[in-house]
Amino acid sequence: MKNNILYKYQFGFRKFFSITYLALIEVIDNLVQNMANGNTSVGVYLDLQKAFDTVNHQILLAKMNNYGVRGTVHDWFSSYLTNRKQYINQKHVNKA
């Protein structure tokens, strides 16, 4: 990795990495190692589907700039993240 800015276990959004099977292999490997060493393992799994919406966009853009994402690409992200609104059509919400 050129700038070493991603955590080594970052599986998503990286070329040649699969969120599903590489992350699962890593978890299983850790569980097996802990069992072999007589340790207890505990897992906490969160669904962060909307995590990108919780990121402060100005901080994200500043960090991208610091890591060398500049010019047209930075402008594209800035345009995409600025003044976004989300609406829900109540007619189509599942009322289970």
Side-chain angles (χ1 to χ4, degrees):
M1 189 167 311
K2 186 176 178 182
N3 295 317
N4 293 320
I5 60 173
L6 294 178
Y7 178 60
K8 69 179 181 176
Y9 297 113
Q10 169 70 39
F11 296 110
F13 310 108
R14 289 177 63 191
K15 192 174 185 177
F16 305 118
F17 282 75
S18 166
I19 294 171
T20 306
Y21 81 86
L22 288 177
L24 185 57
I25 289 170
E26 182 64 30
V27 168
I28 291 170
D29 185 52
N30 285 329
L31 290 171
V32 169
Q33 285 181 21
N34 279 320
M35 285 173 43
N37 293 329
N39 296 324
T40 301
S41 296
V42 176
V44 176
Y45 299 90
L46 305 170
D47 180 2
L48 300 176
Q49 184 176 5
K50 302 288 283 175
F52 192 71
D53 295 341
T54 65
V55 172
N56 180 303
H57 296 163
Q58 294 306 315
I59 293 172
L60 175 62
L61 291 168
K63 284 187 175 191
M64 290 172 67
N65 186 65
N66 289 338
Y67 289 130
V69 179
R70 298 185 182 104
T72 303
V73 175
H74 191 274
D75 292 345
W76 182 84
F77 275 103
S78 180
S79 172
Y80 180 79
L81 294 172
T82 303
N83 297 321
R84 290 282 162 183
K85 294 179 177 51
Q86 183 174 352
Y87 300 95
I88 297 173
N89 184 341
Q90 291 294 331
K91 250 188 339 185
H92 300 290
V93 175
N94 186 0
K95 296 179 182 179

